[in-house]
Amino acid sequence: MWSYFISSSGLPLLFLALALLWSLGGYLIARLVFSVSARESLAIGIGLGSLLVIVLTNLASHWLSLQWAYLLAAMLIIGTGGMLFVFTHSRREVFENWQQALPPIFVFLLLFVLFLRINQGLAIFDENYNLPIVSLIAAGDVPPRFPFDPSQPLAYHYGLHLLAGVAVRFVGISPWLAFDAVRAFTHALMIVLATLWFERKIGGFWAAVLGGGVVYFGGNTQWLLLLAPQPWLKKLSGMVALSNTALSSGKNLYDVLTKNWNIDGLGVVDFPFAFIGAVFKPQNLALTSNGAVVALTILLLLLLAPKNWRLGNTIIVSLILSSLALTAEYLFGLIAIGMGLIAVFNAIRQKSFSPIFRQVLLWTPALGLAFFGGGVISVMAQHFLRGMDGKGLVSGHGLLGFEWQSPPSLPTLYFGRLSLIQADTLLLSLILLGPIFFLTILSLKQLRDQWHSMDLIQQSLLIGAGVCFLLSFMLGLKDSLGGITRLLDTALLIFLILSFPVLISLWKKVSRFFQTLIVLNLFLLCLGGIVTFSLEFIAIPRPQYTVYVSDLDVRFFTRYWNRLSPETKIFDPSPERSIVLFGRSTGLTASDYGKWLPEWQQTLADPTPTRLLQAGYTHAYIDKSFWGKLTPLLKSSWKQDCVRLLEEQNLDFDFRRLYDLRACR
């Protein structure tokens, strides 16, 4: 139906027009509901509009196609802004001094181009998992199902994937380019918002710019281990078990510190493992499924924090919180903990339920959308409700359980959990945390000294971060070694953001010696991020699609993406590849990414057209590498008359073939 109204050549222009509309809508809402300054308004409006469009598009996609859902979401945002503009008494002030908003936007656009170029040269952090989700969303699977088992809901933070999917569907770009673009968008806007918030809190422009740099480059100080005595490092190597990509990067802790990080998708770049954070990654390495949207949302909430809570700003803040259910459910939970504790404390102190009622008004829309909209919280809610009524459990992929850790230990991505009751691993933990540990103490001191002058958002973030910081030492995730580090990482990020203004305030009061210590701590905090960011520049001249997509594959993407029948199920020895290229299912192949099912491995070992048909496949996508491994008998089975070769592409002694198997039934 969509094609009857909009030609394919007009879709990119429509996408751009709708993006401008929801940005304008966000601008109007920010100025009229939250009364932000002219300088801050446009950048805040773009951030607010982007989060609102994710929430509303996801909600509308339950009943409408992706294109119509995005159109409706954009119209609702600009419509809300327009209604506020028409009926407000202060509409004359809305566009006053609007020129002041342009310099931050110019910086945002320049940073966006830079980060997009960097992202195009890198393909790290599970692009083999995220890109299939983007492709399936663009093809109409919203809320998305687990790509490798379509019968299961996907308990995953797919908010940015949804925005990337919209770009794929409207603009006609590839999933890998769209995903690179939305992550670059979050990085660029996050830095601008950080600078604007620090400028508001500190008052000085260059100090605010420094704060934006600290937030972007600040991470842990794993590289300090290079300065540690060799005997101690060798002793630690016997106490620390490597995990995740550290296992393929070196033999033990001592060995891995002098090696490069072994991870797919680096291209021409080699990152020294010593500068890759095992506890607190800098934002320039926030290239995972949600980019820098965690920091972006934190800063947006800080910039929009209402002084006086009214119905209008309560609803908008609630929608921002609901976006976290789709982009960072752990931050959603962190803020809920913080606000919940504040409401209970105030209710006890005031001997009244009114603080709790105000929180109920704020959280009802957010929780409603989180429970029923899709994503991790939604699948957890289904899991709970199905268990309550005795109908069994929902086993959505990504649904992990918690388990207590005793004694408490520091969770890391690459060194397992580090005991806090052993002197050596405790010292290692302090080295990995580095200056952020002292900034955490500073943040908690701020909580005590400035409690009454802080708004509800700041109070909630600090309390929630403090609670989650402690919980991360006592909780783990089943079947996810290091997964709880997301909670720890988010808490440390909040401490970093909220403590920097206090650090600048201290700078003005202390002696030159303590000022030197502050500079040294910031240098130590940011060096790892600066080193890895400088190496990311090397990736710019050599863009790549992703690890498993070649020029030959792009030819098939251009010709066949979302053009095969919706019932199509494609066999591919690399299942993630065909999902990305065709936007179609590969059927039941894995229980988790990389955990291939025995029946899939059996099919892979004996891929005759008859066997593939019995497994439900209608098409097959074969590359030269896989074809070369087949026996002559298996190859002969593909020469049957019923096996139809739809297309073959050849390049540089390599080939790809797309077969139609349906005539062999």
Side-chain angles (χ1 to χ4, degrees), residues 431-466:
I431 291 174
L432 294 179
L433 288 170
I436 196 64
F437 179 74
F438 301 103
L439 292 179
T440 299
I441 297 173
L442 191 64
S443 297
L444 297 177
K445 183 178 183 298
Q446 177 193 33
L447 180 64
R448 185 192 67 187
D449 297 343
Q450 302 179 16
W451 174 262
H452 296 292
S453 63
M454 290 191 295
D455 55 62
L456 176 63
I457 298 295
Q458 283 183 266
Q459 292 174 344
S460 303
L461 286 170
L462 266 176
I463 289 182

mmCIF file of all heavy atoms in Angstrom, residues 431-466:
data_model
loop_
_atom_site.group_PDB
_atom_site.id
_atom_site.type_symbol
_atom_site.label_atom_id
_atom_site.label_comp_id
_atom_site.label_asym_id
_atom_site.label_seq_id
_atom_site.Cartn_x
_atom_site.Cartn_y
_atom_site.Cartn_z
ATOM 1 N N ILE A 431 43.459 -0.592 40.678
ATOM 2 C CA ILE A 431 44.189 -0.117 39.499
ATOM 3 C C ILE A 431 43.251 -0.031 38.298
ATOM 4 O O ILE A 431 43.292 0.929 37.513
ATOM 5 C CB ILE A 431 45.389 -1.031 39.202
ATOM 6 C CG1 ILE A 431 46.453 -0.877 40.286
ATOM 7 C CG2 ILE A 431 45.988 -0.720 37.836
ATOM 8 C CD1 ILE A 431 47.615 -1.842 40.165
ATOM 9 N N LEU A 432 42.394 -1.038 38.121
ATOM 10 C CA LEU A 432 41.459 -1.038 36.988
ATOM 11 C C LEU A 432 40.455 0.102 37.100
ATOM 12 O O LEU A 432 40.081 0.717 36.096
ATOM 13 C CB LEU A 432 40.722 -2.378 36.917
ATOM 14 C CG LEU A 432 41.560 -3.609 36.586
ATOM 15 C CD1 LEU A 432 40.690 -4.850 36.567
ATOM 16 C CD2 LEU A 432 42.273 -3.445 35.243
ATOM 17 N N LEU A 433 39.999 0.378 38.304
ATOM 18 C CA LEU A 433 39.062 1.487 38.502
ATOM 19 C C LEU A 433 39.770 2.830 38.352
ATOM 20 O O LEU A 433 39.239 3.753 37.725
ATOM 21 C CB LEU A 433 38.413 1.387 39.881
ATOM 22 C CG LEU A 433 37.393 0.272 40.066
ATOM 23 C CD1 LEU A 433 37.024 0.134 41.534
ATOM 24 C CD2 LEU A 433 36.143 0.539 39.231
ATOM 25 N N GLY A 434 40.952 2.957 38.928
ATOM 26 C CA GLY A 434 41.729 4.168 38.778
ATOM 27 C C GLY A 434 41.047 5.390 39.358
ATOM 28 O O GLY A 434 40.320 5.315 40.362
ATOM 29 N N PRO A 435 41.211 6.559 38.722
ATOM 30 C CA PRO A 435 40.660 7.814 39.250
ATOM 31 C C PRO A 435 39.144 7.812 39.382
ATOM 32 O O PRO A 435 38.606 8.573 40.188
ATOM 33 C CB PRO A 435 41.112 8.852 38.210
ATOM 34 C CG PRO A 435 42.301 8.258 37.563
ATOM 35 C CD PRO A 435 42.046 6.785 37.530
ATOM 36 N N ILE A 436 38.458 6.980 38.607
ATOM 37 C CA ILE A 436 36.997 6.976 38.698
ATOM 38 C C ILE A 436 36.542 6.549 40.088
ATOM 39 O O ILE A 436 35.458 6.937 40.546
ATOM 40 C CB ILE A 436 36.387 6.048 37.615
ATOM 41 C CG1 ILE A 436 34.892 6.325 37.444
ATOM 42 C CG2 ILE A 436 36.630 4.589 37.927
ATOM 43 C CD1 ILE A 436 34.573 7.688 36.933
ATOM 44 N N PHE A 437 37.360 5.771 40.781
ATOM 45 C CA PHE A 437 37.014 5.371 42.150
ATOM 46 C C PHE A 437 36.964 6.591 43.074
ATOM 47 O O PHE A 437 36.061 6.732 43.896
ATOM 48 C CB PHE A 437 38.027 4.350 42.672
ATOM 49 C CG PHE A 437 37.773 3.898 44.080
ATOM 50 C CD1 PHE A 437 36.729 3.034 44.366
ATOM 51 C CD2 PHE A 437 38.576 4.341 45.124
ATOM 52 C CE1 PHE A 437 36.483 2.622 45.676
ATOM 53 C CE2 PHE A 437 38.348 3.932 46.423
ATOM 54 C CZ PHE A 437 37.297 3.070 46.697
ATOM 55 N N PHE A 438 37.917 7.501 42.911
ATOM 56 C CA PHE A 438 37.940 8.709 43.737
ATOM 57 C C PHE A 438 36.827 9.671 43.327
ATOM 58 O O PHE A 438 36.275 10.382 44.167
ATOM 59 C CB PHE A 438 39.309 9.373 43.645
ATOM 60 C CG PHE A 438 40.432 8.477 44.095
ATOM 61 C CD1 PHE A 438 41.250 7.849 43.184
ATOM 62 C CD2 PHE A 438 40.635 8.238 45.451
ATOM 63 C CE1 PHE A 438 42.272 7.003 43.600
ATOM 64 C CE2 PHE A 438 41.653 7.398 45.884
ATOM 65 C CZ PHE A 438 42.472 6.779 44.951
ATOM 66 N N LEU A 439 36.501 9.701 42.038
ATOM 67 C CA LEU A 439 35.380 10.524 41.593
ATOM 68 C C LEU A 439 34.065 9.969 42.127
ATOM 69 O O LEU A 439 33.115 10.723 42.359
ATOM 70 C CB LEU A 439 35.347 10.597 40.066
ATOM 71 C CG LEU A 439 36.503 11.354 39.416
ATOM 72 C CD1 LEU A 439 36.372 11.335 37.900
ATOM 73 C CD2 LEU A 439 36.578 12.782 39.923
ATOM 74 N N THR A 440 33.998 8.667 42.310
ATOM 75 C CA THR A 440 32.816 8.059 42.924
ATOM 76 C C THR A 440 32.650 8.560 44.358
ATOM 77 O O THR A 440 31.549 8.932 44.782
ATOM 78 C CB THR A 440 32.946 6.528 42.916
ATOM 79 O OG1 THR A 440 33.042 6.069 41.570
ATOM 80 C CG2 THR A 440 31.745 5.875 43.606
ATOM 81 N N ILE A 441 33.739 8.582 45.108
ATOM 82 C CA ILE A 441 33.689 9.095 46.480
ATOM 83 C C ILE A 441 33.277 10.569 46.475
ATOM 84 O O ILE A 441 32.470 11.015 47.294
ATOM 85 C CB ILE A 441 35.054 8.905 47.161
ATOM 86 C CG1 ILE A 441 35.377 7.409 47.269
ATOM 87 C CG2 ILE A 441 35.072 9.564 48.536
ATOM 88 C CD1 ILE A 441 36.767 7.114 47.778
ATOM 89 N N LEU A 442 33.812 11.319 45.501
ATOM 90 C CA LEU A 442 33.466 12.728 45.378
ATOM 91 C C LEU A 442 31.980 12.905 45.082
ATOM 92 O O LEU A 442 31.322 13.807 45.611
ATOM 93 C CB LEU A 442 34.306 13.369 44.275
ATOM 94 C CG LEU A 442 34.280 14.894 44.164
ATOM 95 C CD1 LEU A 442 34.871 15.528 45.405
ATOM 96 C CD2 LEU A 442 35.042 15.336 42.924
ATOM 97 N N SER A 443 31.434 12.029 44.247
ATOM 98 C CA SER A 443 30.014 12.101 43.913
ATOM 99 C C SER A 443 29.149 11.817 45.126
ATOM 100 O O SER A 443 28.119 12.469 45.339
ATOM 101 C CB SER A 443 29.694 11.096 42.799
ATOM 102 O OG SER A 443 30.388 11.405 41.619
ATOM 103 N N LEU A 444 29.545 10.846 45.923
ATOM 104 C CA LEU A 444 28.769 10.524 47.122
ATOM 105 C C LEU A 444 28.864 11.652 48.156
ATOM 106 O O LEU A 444 27.903 11.923 48.884
ATOM 107 C CB LEU A 444 29.264 9.205 47.714
ATOM 108 C CG LEU A 444 29.078 7.986 46.800
ATOM 109 C CD1 LEU A 444 29.671 6.742 47.443
ATOM 110 C CD2 LEU A 444 27.609 7.763 46.470
ATOM 111 N N LYS A 445 30.010 12.325 48.201
ATOM 112 C CA LYS A 445 30.139 13.492 49.072
ATOM 113 C C LYS A 445 29.214 14.608 48.580
ATOM 114 O O LYS A 445 28.592 15.322 49.375
ATOM 115 C CB LYS A 445 31.582 13.972 49.097
ATOM 116 C CG LYS A 445 31.836 15.146 50.051
ATOM 117 C CD LYS A 445 33.306 15.528 50.047
ATOM 118 C CE LYS A 445 33.577 16.656 51.053
ATOM 119 N NZ LYS A 445 32.833 17.890 50.725
ATOM 120 N N GLN A 446 29.128 14.747 47.248
ATOM 121 C CA GLN A 446 28.212 15.733 46.674
ATOM 122 C C GLN A 446 26.776 15.425 47.070
ATOM 123 O O GLN A 446 25.987 16.333 47.357
ATOM 124 C CB GLN A 446 28.346 15.720 45.145
ATOM 125 C CG GLN A 446 27.387 16.658 44.427
ATOM 126 C CD GLN A 446 27.335 16.367 42.935
ATOM 127 O OE1 GLN A 446 27.474 15.228 42.514
ATOM 128 N NE2 GLN A 446 27.121 17.391 42.138
ATOM 129 N N LEU A 447 26.441 14.154 47.095
ATOM 130 C CA LEU A 447 25.091 13.740 47.477
ATOM 131 C C LEU A 447 24.774 14.212 48.894
ATOM 132 O O LEU A 447 23.662 14.677 49.174
ATOM 133 C CB LEU A 447 24.985 12.216 47.392
ATOM 134 C CG LEU A 447 23.639 11.588 47.756
ATOM 135 C CD1 LEU A 447 22.563 12.021 46.777
ATOM 136 C CD2 LEU A 447 23.754 10.070 47.766
ATOM 137 N N ARG A 448 25.752 14.134 49.771
ATOM 138 C CA ARG A 448 25.534 14.544 51.161
ATOM 139 C C ARG A 448 25.489 16.067 51.304
ATOM 140 O O ARG A 448 24.618 16.620 51.964
ATOM 141 C CB ARG A 448 26.647 13.977 52.040
ATOM 142 C CG ARG A 448 26.453 14.229 53.526
ATOM 143 C CD ARG A 448 27.720 13.897 54.289
ATOM 144 N NE ARG A 448 28.809 14.831 53.936
ATOM 145 C CZ ARG A 448 30.061 14.697 54.358
ATOM 146 N NH1 ARG A 448 30.398 13.659 55.110
ATOM 147 N NH2 ARG A 448 30.990 15.572 54.010
ATOM 148 N N ASP A 449 26.434 16.754 50.650
ATOM 149 C CA ASP A 449 26.577 18.192 50.860
ATOM 150 C C ASP A 449 25.572 19.032 50.074
ATOM 151 O O ASP A 449 25.205 20.122 50.513
ATOM 152 C CB ASP A 449 27.996 18.631 50.485
ATOM 153 C CG ASP A 449 29.054 17.991 51.373
ATOM 154 O OD1 ASP A 449 28.685 17.489 52.456
ATOM 155 O OD2 ASP A 449 30.232 17.981 50.976
ATOM 156 N N GLN A 450 25.152 18.543 48.896
ATOM 157 C CA GLN A 450 24.317 19.372 48.025
ATOM 158 C C GLN A 450 22.939 18.761 47.788
ATOM 159 O O GLN A 450 22.275 19.072 46.808
ATOM 160 C CB GLN A 450 25.027 19.586 46.686
ATOM 161 C CG GLN A 450 26.388 20.226 46.819
ATOM 162 C CD GLN A 450 27.073 20.401 45.474
ATOM 163 O OE1 GLN A 450 26.460 20.332 44.421
ATOM 164 N NE2 GLN A 450 28.377 20.639 45.508
ATOM 165 N N TRP A 451 22.522 17.897 48.675
ATOM 166 C CA TRP A 451 21.270 17.169 48.476
ATOM 167 C C TRP A 451 20.091 18.105 48.230
ATOM 168 O O TRP A 451 19.335 17.934 47.286
ATOM 169 C CB TRP A 451 21.002 16.286 49.693
ATOM 170 C CG TRP A 451 19.658 15.597 49.650
ATOM 171 C CD1 TRP A 451 18.521 15.985 50.259
ATOM 172 C CD2 TRP A 451 19.349 14.405 48.927
ATOM 173 N NE1 TRP A 451 17.499 15.110 49.989
ATOM 174 C CE2 TRP A 451 17.992 14.123 49.160
ATOM 175 C CE3 TRP A 451 20.093 13.549 48.118
ATOM 176 C CZ2 TRP A 451 17.347 13.027 48.612
ATOM 177 C CZ3 TRP A 451 19.447 12.446 47.577
ATOM 178 C CH2 TRP A 451 18.099 12.202 47.826
ATOM 179 N N HIS A 452 19.928 19.114 49.048
ATOM 180 C CA HIS A 452 18.746 19.968 48.969
ATOM 181 C C HIS A 452 18.781 20.903 47.755
ATOM 182 O O HIS A 452 17.735 21.397 47.345
ATOM 183 C CB HIS A 452 18.590 20.779 50.255
ATOM 184 C CG HIS A 452 18.331 19.923 51.465
ATOM 185 N ND1 HIS A 452 17.163 19.215 51.640
ATOM 186 C CD2 HIS A 452 19.107 19.648 52.552
ATOM 187 C CE1 HIS A 452 17.217 18.539 52.782
ATOM 188 N NE2 HIS A 452 18.383 18.781 53.355
ATOM 189 N N SER A 453 19.959 21.142 47.198
ATOM 190 C CA SER A 453 20.042 22.022 46.026
ATOM 191 C C SER A 453 19.920 21.259 44.711
ATOM 192 O O SER A 453 19.810 21.867 43.650
ATOM 193 C CB SER A 453 21.363 22.796 46.042
ATOM 194 O OG SER A 453 22.467 21.898 45.942
ATOM 195 N N MET A 454 19.935 19.933 44.762
ATOM 196 C CA MET A 454 19.838 19.126 43.553
ATOM 197 C C MET A 454 18.381 18.866 43.198
ATOM 198 O O MET A 454 17.516 18.799 44.068
ATOM 199 C CB MET A 454 20.579 17.796 43.733
ATOM 200 C CG MET A 454 22.087 17.928 43.795
ATOM 201 S SD MET A 454 22.945 16.336 43.680
ATOM 202 C CE MET A 454 22.414 15.564 45.176
ATOM 203 N N ASP A 455 18.123 18.723 41.890
ATOM 204 C CA ASP A 455 16.774 18.379 41.447
ATOM 205 C C ASP A 455 16.554 16.876 41.570
ATOM 206 O O ASP A 455 17.484 16.109 41.868
ATOM 207 C CB ASP A 455 16.538 18.849 40.004
ATOM 208 C CG ASP A 455 17.585 18.301 39.037
ATOM 209 O OD1 ASP A 455 17.662 17.070 38.881
ATOM 210 O OD2 ASP A 455 18.335 19.098 38.446
ATOM 211 N N LEU A 456 15.324 16.448 41.331
ATOM 212 C CA LEU A 456 14.959 15.037 41.497
ATOM 213 C C LEU A 456 15.759 14.129 40.575
ATOM 214 O O LEU A 456 16.145 13.021 40.968
ATOM 215 C CB LEU A 456 13.459 14.860 41.239
ATOM 216 C CG LEU A 456 12.934 13.419 41.291
ATOM 217 C CD1 LEU A 456 13.126 12.827 42.680
ATOM 218 C CD2 LEU A 456 11.462 13.370 40.877
ATOM 219 N N ILE A 457 16.020 14.581 39.348
ATOM 220 C CA ILE A 457 16.765 13.749 38.395
ATOM 221 C C ILE A 457 18.179 13.496 38.908
ATOM 222 O O ILE A 457 18.661 12.355 38.912
ATOM 223 C CB ILE A 457 16.806 14.420 37.009
ATOM 224 C CG1 ILE A 457 15.386 14.580 36.430
ATOM 225 C CG2 ILE A 457 17.690 13.617 36.058
ATOM 226 C CD1 ILE A 457 14.682 13.285 36.141
ATOM 227 N N GLN A 458 18.863 14.543 39.353
ATOM 228 C CA GLN A 458 20.218 14.370 39.881
ATOM 229 C C GLN A 458 20.222 13.467 41.111
ATOM 230 O O GLN A 458 21.071 12.576 41.240
ATOM 231 C CB GLN A 458 20.818 15.730 40.239
ATOM 232 C CG GLN A 458 21.299 16.538 39.059
ATOM 233 C CD GLN A 458 21.937 17.835 39.514
ATOM 234 O OE1 GLN A 458 21.297 18.869 39.588
ATOM 235 N NE2 GLN A 458 23.209 17.782 39.826
ATOM 236 N N GLN A 459 19.287 13.696 42.008
ATOM 237 C CA GLN A 459 19.211 12.860 43.204
ATOM 238 C C GLN A 459 18.997 11.397 42.833
ATOM 239 O O GLN A 459 19.662 10.500 43.376
ATOM 240 C CB GLN A 459 18.070 13.348 44.102
ATOM 241 C CG GLN A 459 18.286 14.696 44.736
ATOM 242 C CD GLN A 459 17.060 15.185 45.490
ATOM 243 O OE1 GLN A 459 15.963 14.671 45.304
ATOM 244 N NE2 GLN A 459 17.236 16.184 46.340
ATOM 245 N N SER A 460 18.087 11.151 41.902
ATOM 246 C CA SER A 460 17.758 9.783 41.511
ATOM 247 C C SER A 460 18.940 9.101 40.844
ATOM 248 O O SER A 460 19.224 7.925 41.105
ATOM 249 C CB SER A 460 16.549 9.783 40.572
ATOM 250 O OG SER A 460 15.442 10.404 41.176
ATOM 251 N N LEU A 461 19.636 9.847 39.962
ATOM 252 C CA LEU A 461 20.791 9.267 39.282
ATOM 253 C C LEU A 461 21.892 8.917 40.275
ATOM 254 O O LEU A 461 22.497 7.843 40.188
ATOM 255 C CB LEU A 461 21.317 10.240 38.225
ATOM 256 C CG LEU A 461 20.476 10.368 36.951
ATOM 257 C CD1 LEU A 461 20.967 11.529 36.096
ATOM 258 C CD2 LEU A 461 20.503 9.075 36.142
ATOM 259 N N LEU A 462 22.146 9.801 41.218
ATOM 260 C CA LEU A 462 23.211 9.534 42.187
ATOM 261 C C LEU A 462 22.861 8.370 43.108
ATOM 262 O O LEU A 462 23.688 7.487 43.346
ATOM 263 C CB LEU A 462 23.489 10.784 43.018
ATOM 264 C CG LEU A 462 24.624 11.679 42.516
ATOM 265 C CD1 LEU A 462 24.743 12.925 43.373
ATOM 266 C CD2 LEU A 462 25.942 10.930 42.484
ATOM 267 N N ILE A 463 21.635 8.357 43.627
ATOM 268 C CA ILE A 463 21.242 7.264 44.528
ATOM 269 C C ILE A 463 21.173 5.948 43.760
ATOM 270 O O ILE A 463 21.679 4.912 44.216
ATOM 271 C CB ILE A 463 19.895 7.577 45.199
ATOM 272 C CG1 ILE A 463 20.066 8.692 46.218
ATOM 273 C CG2 ILE A 463 19.335 6.340 45.888
ATOM 274 C CD1 ILE A 463 18.815 9.038 46.967
ATOM 275 N N GLY A 464 20.559 5.971 42.587
ATOM 276 C CA GLY A 464 20.472 4.750 41.779
ATOM 277 C C GLY A 464 21.843 4.233 41.409
ATOM 278 O O GLY A 464 22.107 3.028 41.456
ATOM 279 N N ALA A 465 22.752 5.151 41.030
ATOM 280 C CA ALA A 465 24.111 4.733 40.684
ATOM 281 C C ALA A 465 24.830 4.154 41.895
ATOM 282 O O ALA A 465 25.554 3.155 41.780
ATOM 283 C CB ALA A 465 24.891 5.918 40.115
ATOM 284 N N GLY A 466 24.639 4.774 43.061
ATOM 285 C CA GLY A 466 25.276 4.255 44.271
ATOM 286 C C GLY A 466 24.805 2.861 44.625
ATOM 287 O O GLY A 466 25.610 1.973 44.934
#
